[in-house]
Amino acid sequence: ATAFGPTITSFVQPQPVPNPRDFVLWSFFNAMFCNPFCLGFIALIFSIKSRDGKIAHDPAAASSYGRTAKHLNIAALCLGIVGTIICIVVLVMYYNSLRVGS
């Protein structure tokens, strides 16, 4: 007769893989409303590539494309805001010069 001891079973929980962000909505907003030098459109392309990487279960590629999209979105938004402010200042100065000259 063989005597068996207690059986020990251990479970190893895999670490959850963080879901990389793709910034599609922000990229779409920048592509439609704030698109200096086509940065918003390029950010939208990288966002879609990031989403494709998530679907293909490639978190490294998805994360890389997502970071690139985020940086392009920041650049597009900053340039768009600065450009808008410059346009408003130039228009105000132009209308003031017309009003003073009349």
Side-chain angles (χ1 to χ4, degrees):
T2 305
F4 292 102
T7 303
I8 299 173
T9 305
S10 63
F11 293 101
V12 177
Q13 292 287 347
Q15 293 292 334
V17 177
N19 196 7
R21 306 235 357 232
D22 54 18
F23 304 103
V24 171
L25 291 177
W26 189 14
S27 299
F28 185 74
F29 171 81
N30 281 338
M32 291 295 112
F33 300 111
C34 198
N35 199 14
F37 309 113
C38 293
L39 289 177
F41 180 69
I42 297 168
L44 183 61
I45 291 170
F46 276 98
S47 295
I48 292 169
K49 284 181 150 194
S50 175
R51 185 163 283 186
D52 289 344
K54 283 182 3 182
I55 292 171
H57 300 293
D58 187 3
S63 178
S64 174
Y65 287 133
R67 269 193 316 274
T68 304
K70 180 175 95 172
H71 293 140
L72 288 170
N73 279 323
I74 290 170
L77 190 62
C78 290
L79 287 174
I81 289 172
V82 168
T84 302
I85 290 171
I86 289 173
C87 285
I88 290 171
V89 167
V90 167
L91 284 173
V92 167
M93 290 173 53
Y94 177 72
Y95 285 127
N96 281 339
S97 69
L98 285 179
R99 197 179 64 185
V100 171
S102 297

